[in-house]
C-alpha cells in the first residue's frame, strides 16, 4: 500500500510538472504573440502608409521581414523609444543627418519635361510639434536644395509649442544656414495642426501656398509641375504622387499613381487610376482628375485659398480637411504625377498631439 501511494505521488508530481511546463510554454508563446501584435500595432499606427495608401499589406511585409524578426534590434531601448515618440527609427535618422539624396522616382517622360522659367512664387508651409530633429531638418534642406531659388519665396515653419530642447535654440542655430528664406513662427499656445497651417498661410507672401508635412523629403523637379498647373488655372488645386519612406530603414520607395477619393462615410482613401487615363500623348505625366485630395499635402493659389474660406478653424483633429477642401473646391482637384515627395514619422492626432 505504501509503495502504491508513493507511486501515485510520483505520478502526480510528474503530471503537475508536465502541466506546469506546458503552461509556461503556452504563456511564453502568448507573450511573444502579444509582443508581435503590439509591435505591429505600433508600426501600423505610426506608419506613413496609414496616411498614404492605408498600406496594411506593406506593413505586413515589413513585419515578416528580417527587421522585425531580429529580436536583438527590437531589444534596443533607443529604437523602441524612438518608434514610440516619433514613429520612426531615430538611430538611422541620426546617421543620415540633416541632408541626403533620394532616388529619382519620376517616370522617364517626366524627366524629359521642361517648364517655363517664369512661374508664380511659392511659400512652403511646414507645421511641426515635437518632430524628430534630423527628420525636420531633412525636410527643410530637401526643399531648399531642390527648389529653384527664384521660385521659392520662403519656407514658413510653424512650431506648435514643441517641448523638446533640440527644437528650440539648437533649431534656431541650424536654420541660420538658410537665412533669408526661413520664417520661424512659434505659437504662444497649442493650436493643433489645422489652425497652425492657417497661421502659416497668414504669414505667407508667395503667390502659391504649398503645404507640406514636417517629415518629408521632396524629389527632383518637385515644385515646377505644381506651379505650372496653377499658373494655367488659378483655381486648380494640385496634389503630388506620394512616395513612401520606410519608418524602420528610412529607404525611399516609389509609389504608383493613384487618385484621392472618399467613401459614403466621407472617409478619405486612395483609388487606382484606370490605365486608359494614362494612354494619351503625355502618358504617365498627364494630370489626373481627382474627386478628393489630401488636405495637408497640396498646392493652391494663395488668393483662391482665402476665397474658399481656408480651413475650418474649429477643426481640432486631422483628417476632416481631406474632404472639406475637396468639397469647397467643387471637386476640381488634380494630381500631378510628375511631382513626388514622401515623408516618415507620426501624424496629427489632435490639438494635444500630432
Amino acid at each position: 500500500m505504501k509503495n502504491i501511494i508513493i507511486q501515485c505521488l510520483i505520478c502526480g508530481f510528474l503530471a503537475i510538472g508536465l502541466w506546469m511546463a506546458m503552461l509556461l510554454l503556452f504563456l511564453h508563446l502568448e507573450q511573444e504573440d502579444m509582443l508581435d501584435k503590439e509591435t505591429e500595432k505600433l508600426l501600423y499606427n505610426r506608419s506613413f502608409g496609414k496616411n498614404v495608401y492605408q498600406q496594411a499589406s506593406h506593413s505586413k511585409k515589413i513585419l515578416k521581414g528580417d527587421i522585425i524578426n531580429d529580436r536583438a534590434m527590437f531589444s534596443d531601448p533607443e529604437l523602441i523609444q524612438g518608434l514610440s515618440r516619433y514613429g520612426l527609427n531615430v538611430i538611422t535618422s541620426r546617421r543620415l543627418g540633416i541632408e541626403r539624396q533620394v532616388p529619382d522616382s519620376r517616370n522617364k517622360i517626366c524627366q524629359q519635361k521642361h517648364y517655363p522659367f517664369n512661374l508664380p512664387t511659392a511659400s512652403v508651409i511646414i507645421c511641426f510639434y515635437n518632430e524628430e530633429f534630423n527628420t525636420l531638418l531633412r525636410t527643410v534642406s530637401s526643399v531648399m536644395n531642390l527648389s529653384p531659388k527664384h521660385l521659392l519665396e520662403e519656407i514658413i515653419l510653424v512650431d506648435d509649442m514643441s517641448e523638446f530642447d533640440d527644437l528650440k535654440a539648437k533649431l534656431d542655430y541650424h536654420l541660420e544656414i538658410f537665412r533669408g528664406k526661413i520664417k520661424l513662427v512659434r505659437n504662444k499656445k497649442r493650436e493643433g495642426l489645422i489652425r497652425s497651417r492657417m497661421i502659416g498661410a497668414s504669414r505667407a507672401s508667395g503667390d502659391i501656398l504649398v503645404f507640406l508635412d514636417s517629415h518629408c523629403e521632396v524629389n527632383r523637379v518637385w515644385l515646377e509641375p505644381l506651379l505650372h498647373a496653377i499658373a494655367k488655372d488659378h483655381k486648380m488645386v494640385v496634389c503630388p504622387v506620394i512616395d513612401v519612406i520606410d519608418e524602420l530603414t528610412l529607404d525611399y520607395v516609389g509609389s504608383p499613381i493613384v487618385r484621392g477619393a472618399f467613401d459614403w462615410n466621407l472617409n478619405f482613401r486612395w483609388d487606382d487610376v484606370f490605365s486608359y487615363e494614362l494612354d494619351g500623348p503625355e502618358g504617365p505625366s498627364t494630370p489626373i482628375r481627382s474627386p478628393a485630395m489630401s488636405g495637408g499635402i497640396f498646392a493652391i493659389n494663395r488668393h483662391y485659398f482665402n476665397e474658399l474660406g481656408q480651413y475650418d478653424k474649429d477643426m481640432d483633429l486631422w483628417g476632416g480637411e481631406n474632404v472639406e477642401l475637396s468639397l469647397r473646391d467643387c471637386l476640381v482637384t488634380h494630381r500631378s504625377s510628375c511631382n513626388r515627395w514622401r515623408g516618415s514619422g507620426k501624424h496629427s492626432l489632435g490639438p494635444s498631439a500630432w
Side-chain angles (χ1 to χ4, degrees):
M1 178 65 69
K2 187 177 181 180
N3 291 336
I4 294 176
I5 294 175
I6 293 175
Q7 290 176 3
C8 289
L9 289 173
I10 293 174
C11 290
F13 284 129
L14 288 175
I16 293 173
L18 181 60
W19 279 105
M20 287 294 293
M22 293 178 64
L23 179 61
L24 290 173
L25 178 61
F26 173 78
L27 292 175
H28 176 70
L29 294 175
E30 189 73 13
Q31 185 178 12
E32 284 193 341
D33 185 59
M34 288 179 62
L35 177 61
D36 289 339
K37 288 181 178 180
E38 286 297 320
T39 303
E40 181 174 0
K41 181 179 178 182
L42 172 65
L43 293 179
Y44 181 78
N45 288 338
R46 299 292 185 175
S47 170
F48 264 64
K50 184 177 180 182
N51 195 33
V52 183
Y53 300 112
Q54 296 290 340
Q55 289 198 359
S57 59
H58 176 68
S59 298
K60 290 178 181 177
K61 181 179 179 182
I62 297 175
L63 289 165
K64 292 179 181 178
D66 294 335
I67 296 175
I68 299 301
N69 291 329
D70 186 355
R71 297 289 177 182
M73 180 179 181
F74 271 81
S75 64
D76 190 330
E78 185 178 8
L79 176 66
I80 297 298
Q81 183 183 25
L83 286 171
S84 177
R85 175 178 290 184
Y86 302 112
L88 53 82
N89 186 338
V90 296
I91 301 174
T92 301
S93 181
R94 190 180 304 117
R95 186 173 68 247
L96 290 175
I98 65 173
E99 184 177 336
R100 71 160 173 173
Q101 289 188 350
V102 297
D104 190 343
S105 59
R106 294 174 299 155
N107 185 276
K108 291 183 179 180
I109 295 179
C110 295
Q111 297 179 19
Q112 298 170 0
K113 296 193 72 169
H114 299 281
Y115 299 93
F117 180 82
N118 293 319
L119 288 171
T121 58
S123 293
V124 179
I125 300 170
I126 302 171
C127 303
F128 66 94
Y129 169 71
N130 286 353
E131 185 62 81
E132 199 272 324
F133 180 80
N134 293 283
T135 303
L136 177 61
L137 264 294
R138 278 197 302 275
T139 302
V140 175
S141 63
S142 71
V143 173
M144 288 293 301
N145 295 336
L146 296 176
S147 303
K149 298 297 184 288
H150 69 288
L151 298 180
L152 181 63
E153 179 71 21
E154 63 204 349
I155 299 177
I156 302 176
L157 293 176
V158 182
D159 177 12
D160 195 23
M161 293 285 290
S162 293
E163 301 165 341
F164 300 157
D165 291 338
D166 57 3
L167 296 176
K168 299 184 187 327
K170 180 180 177 181
L171 178 62
D172 294 338
Y173 174 78
H174 278 76
L175 291 178
E176 280 296 313
I177 62 175
F178 306 123
R179 67 178 63 182
K181 287 288 187 179
I182 298 288
K183 289 181 181 178
L184 178 57
V185 181
R186 297 193 185 272
N187 292 343
K188 302 298 183 182
K189 64 176 182 177
R190 289 301 310 280
E191 296 287 355
L193 176 61
I194 305 303
R195 285 184 290 275
S196 292
R197 284 176 176 161
M198 294 175 67
I199 290 172
S202 69
R203 305 294 184 92
S205 56
D207 303 314
I208 308 299
L209 303 177
V210 181
F211 292 93
L212 215 59
D213 281 334
S214 58
H215 28 250
C216 294
E217 295 177 56
V218 301
N219 215 312
R220 293 163 182 79
V221 194
W222 75 281
L223 186 58
E224 293 92 319
L226 303 179
L227 304 181
H228 186 232
I230 299 175
K232 292 188 292 185
D233 181 357
H234 79 282
K235 291 188 176 182
M236 186 80 71
V237 180
V238 190
C239 302
V241 169
I242 305 177
D243 293 334
V244 175
I245 293 180
D246 186 277
E247 67 273 15
L248 289 177
T249 64
L250 298 191
D251 290 338
Y252 187 105
V253 182
S255 295
I257 300 175
V258 292
R259 76 168 103 244
F262 46 83
D263 59 24
W264 290 109
N265 293 320
L266 295 183
N267 294 316
F268 182 82
R269 70 184 189 192
W270 296 103
D271 276 353
D272 294 330
V273 174
F274 296 112
S275 58
Y276 69 80
E277 297 180 75
L278 305 176
D279 290 339
E282 293 186 86
S285 70
T286 186
I288 304 299
R289 290 184 61 86
S290 181
M293 58 183 287
S294 174
I297 305 178
F298 66 98
I300 186 172
N301 180 280
R302 178 163 57 91
H303 298 298
Y304 185 52
F305 183 64
N306 294 328
E307 181 182 334
L308 288 176
Q310 304 186 356
Y311 288 108
D312 180 350
K313 69 179 187 314
D314 292 325
M315 285 195 298
D316 290 331
L317 303 177
W318 73 274
E321 79 279 13
N322 291 332
V323 175
E324 184 207 16
L325 281 179
S326 299
L327 297 178
R328 286 175 185 255
D329 191 38
C330 300
L331 309 183
V332 295
T333 304
H334 286 62
R335 292 182 62 75
S336 173
S337 59
C338 285
N339 171 272
R340 289 177 175 265
W341 66 56
R342 189 52 195 135
S344 59
K346 57 185 176 301
H347 292 300
S348 55
L349 301 176
S352 60
W354 292 7

